[in-house]
Amino acid sequence: MINLETPRKFVGLVESSHQVATEIFRANSRKYDRAEHSYPKELDMLAAVIDGMNEGGGIGGAGAGTVSGGPSGDGGSPTSREGGNRNGSNMASLLGLTELCWGDVGLLLTMPRQGLGQAAIAAVANEEQLKRFRGKWAAMAITEPEAGSDSAAIRTTAKLDEETGEYVLNGEKIFVTSGDRAELVVVWASLDPSKGRPAIKSFVVERDNPGLKLDRLEHKLGIRASDTANFVLDNCRVPKENLLGSPEIAPQGGFAGVMQTFDNTRPLVAGMAIGVARACLERTRELLEEAGIEIDYDTPPLLQSAAASEFIAMESDWEAARLLTMRAAWMADNRKPNSLQASMCKAKAGRVGTDIALRCVALCGSVGYAEDELLEKWARDVKILDLFEGTQQIQQLIVARGLLGKTSAELK
Ligand SMILES: Cc1cc2nc3c(=O)[nH]c(=O)nc-3n(C[C@H](O)[C@H](O)[C@H](O)COP(=O)(O)OP(=O)(O)OC[C@H]3O[C@@H](n4cnc5c(N)ncnc54)[C@H](O)[C@@H]3O)c2cc1C
């Protein structure tokens, strides 16, 4: 049975993540919002500490890099057990990330060795590959100029060179989070575009591969601490052992395999939105109280001031998003298929996070809009969480398909 309180064994993780969020993320938030494209060197020391704590079972799971593969995995958490109610690495990652994003989501997204590419590796890699790529900072490159929401439309190709035993990748990838800073880039490419979705596979490319050419870094509305790279793959050669999973083009399975990544990463992105929204709510409450507006939970909202009433409505929406997200992570840890719930929580948290941030800016008026406060930054940062890993509209489409029992061909 699901229990939606923070599991006791993760209380320490939440506390240490909160400390990091306060002392390192918040403390450097504005600095790296202004200094776009400069590397937050403060994170290097933090990454070393987290590596050490991971080995000792401490803050492990605070980043996406530790998430397990597929809806069934629990990530091999040392504390998981057969049967019963598990809280494994998906829940740990969710709780840790939420807390860190209360600090700063842009800095979280550029934490060394915590890239979403590791989730892609975990979803489809074999044992040897898991070992070889373990602990590396991996970005994920799916999106192309002609393929965003419809990831099955990618045009990047991978052709096997029988003589050298290498795949040769050609194409263009855009909007790759941590693409410039990561050690590896997981690239989606098609073995045979005439065979559609099953021919799409993921390939691990070393960042310093000469065929992976950085085109430019994006300038962005928010999450400016995080680098977003565009690449050209120009006869980029990778050993054939770097194709993740099986090279077989099976009518079922291949694309489903790579899509499994999202069942684990979407709840995490939802958690990021929940973290940012909580930051907005907490600061707004403080500012309202300073202005003499009290929020009273013993009086019906409609009998209170408009500001207090709106605040209570935002909090209940936030709580609904949080509970949906915990459910999706819990299902992943408990080997229950969670594609539908992962999209539900991502849709709800992405929308609620963006709404809350903007309404908090509005409630705080000019104070909310000015750079003296972080509220305006959070309102810019949070929008990406309703876009990447599948937009709001795409999540709703997936939910509709799941509820109505329709395939992607039947409901587009
Ligand atoms: C800062 C940032 C970081 C990113 N990081 C990564 C990354 O690390 N790796 C990566 O691969 N990608 C990344 N992306 C890309 C991101 O995942 C895509 O932008 C996203 O999937 C949307 O694709 P698109 O921009 O091509 O929009 P489009 O797919 O062209 O969509 C445009 C609009 O149409 C709507 N729409 C599209 N199809 C439908 C439909 N069938 N029904 C209803 N509405 C629809 C969309 O919701 C959207 O509102 C990143 C993007 C940004 C901005």
Side-chain angles (χ1 to χ4, degrees):
M1 208 16 199
I2 187 168
N3 178 348
L4 293 169
E5 285 171 14
T6 302
R8 217 174 330 140
K9 68 180 177 185
F10 296 146
V11 169
L13 160 74
V14 171
E15 284 172 2
S16 24
S17 301
H18 188 76
Q19 198 180 348
V20 168
T22 308
E23 291 171 16
I24 301 183
F25 283 22
R26 279 274 176 105
N28 289 291
S29 236
R30 186 61 82 186
K31 174 176 168 188
Y32 290 103
D33 181 45
R34 292 199 176 119
E36 192 175 21
H37 297 166
S38 47
Y39 177 68
K41 53 188 183 315
E42 292 81 355
L43 298 184
D44 280 341
M45 192 188 64
L46 175 62
V49 174
I50 288 181
D51 285 348
M53 289 169 103
N54 271 336
E55 276 161 31
I59 201 172
T66 51
V67 170
S68 63
S72 60
D74 79 347
S77 159
T79 46
S80 67
R81 54 196 151 84
E82 283 308 312
N85 180 27
R86 279 167 216 255
N87 284 304
S89 62
N90 287 283
M91 185 63 82
S93 294
L94 172 65
L95 295 172
L97 285 175
T98 303
E99 215 52 46
L100 291 170
C101 290
W102 171 91
D104 191 288
V105 63
L107 288 170
L108 178 278
L109 286 167
T110 200
M111 280 265 290
R113 294 188 283 291
Q114 305 294 325
L116 287 174
Q118 271 298 346
I121 292 172
V124 277
N126 59 34
E127 285 302 314
E128 182 276 326
Q129 291 168 331
L130 281 176
K131 219 162 128 194
R132 193 152 43 100
F133 301 127
R134 198 179 162 182
K136 298 257 175 128
W137 187 355
M140 189 152 83
I142 304 168
T143 307
E144 299 181 1
E146 305 298 327
S149 297
D150 183 7
S151 44
I154 60 165
R155 292 178 182 178
T156 297
T157 54
K159 295 249 177 297
L160 183 61
D161 181 339
E162 303 276 2
E163 268 178 36
T164 62
E166 294 166 317
Y167 282 104
V168 185
L169 274 58
N170 278 292
E172 201 180 333
K173 292 289 174 186
I174 59 172
F175 287 109
V176 183
T177 298
S178 297
D180 195 33
R181 296 172 185 167
E183 298 164 275
L184 308 173
V185 182
V186 179
V187 173
W188 282 23
S190 173
L191 291 176
D192 182 350
S194 71
K195 298 212 166 112
R197 289 163 189 249
I200 295 176
K201 303 284 174 184
S202 35
F203 300 81
V204 178
V205 182
E206 301 276 345
R207 177 60 191 87
D208 58 5
N209 186 315
L212 182 69
K213 296 182 175 157
L214 179 71
D215 183 32
R216 66 169 196 279
L217 295 177
E218 293 291 346
H219 291 280
K220 306 192 296 294
L221 172 76
I223 56 162
R224 302 176 85 186
S226 161
D227 66 308
T228 308
N230 293 355
F231 290 109
V232 174
L233 290 136
D234 180 11
N235 286 320
C236 178
R237 291 180 165 268
V238 296
K240 70 173 190 302
E241 296 74 25
N242 282 21
L243 181 156
L244 292 175
S246 163
E248 296 296 309
I249 304 181
Q252 303 292 327
F255 195 64
V258 285
M259 291 302 278
Q260 272 184 5
T261 310
F262 294 129
D263 297 341
N264 283 346
T265 55
R266 283 177 176 155
L268 298 182
V269 176
M272 295 177 197
I274 289 163
V276 180
R278 198 184 97 214
C280 295
L281 287 170
E282 284 182 12
R283 186 62 190 135
T284 299
R285 176 198 289 274
E286 286 166 1
L287 290 167
L288 289 178
E289 283 175 358
E290 278 171 27
I293 296 167
E294 232 186 89
I295 295 146
D296 178 2
Y297 294 97
D298 293 328
T299 307
L302 289 177
L303 297 180
Q304 300 187 49
S305 69
S309 169
E310 183 166 357
F311 189 89
I312 290 169
M314 286 196 290
E315 273 190 325
S316 64
D317 233 6
W318 177 87
E319 185 68 8
R322 189 181 73 88
L323 295 177
L324 280 174
T325 305
M326 287 183 83
R327 177 179 67 166
W330 179 87
M331 289 176 78
D333 278 339
N334 286 275
R335 301 173 188 274
K336 295 176 191 294
N338 71 341
S339 298
L340 175 65
Q341 291 76 10
S343 283
M344 278 180 175
C345 74
K346 168 82 165 63
K348 177 79 178 171
R351 188 173 64 248
V352 161
T354 309
D355 280 358
I356 287 178
L358 281 175
R359 284 161 75 188
C360 285
V361 166
L363 274 179
C364 298
S366 53
V367 174
Y369 200 72
E371 281 199 5
D372 298 339
E373 286 291 331
L374 287 168
L375 278 170
E376 63 80 28
K377 177 184 181 299
W378 295 330
R380 287 186 283 112
D381 285 350
V382 75
K383 183 61 198 168
I384 189 58
L385 306 170
D386 203 26
L387 287 178
F388 67 11
E389 300 284 301
T391 63
Q392 175 66 218
Q393 291 79 6
I394 294 302
Q395 305 308 330
Q396 290 195 24
L397 195 56
I398 296 170
V399 171
R401 281 184 199 137
L403 293 177
L404 300 171
K406 304 259 185 212
T407 63
S408 51
E410 289 166 336
L411 194 58
K412 294 185 187 179

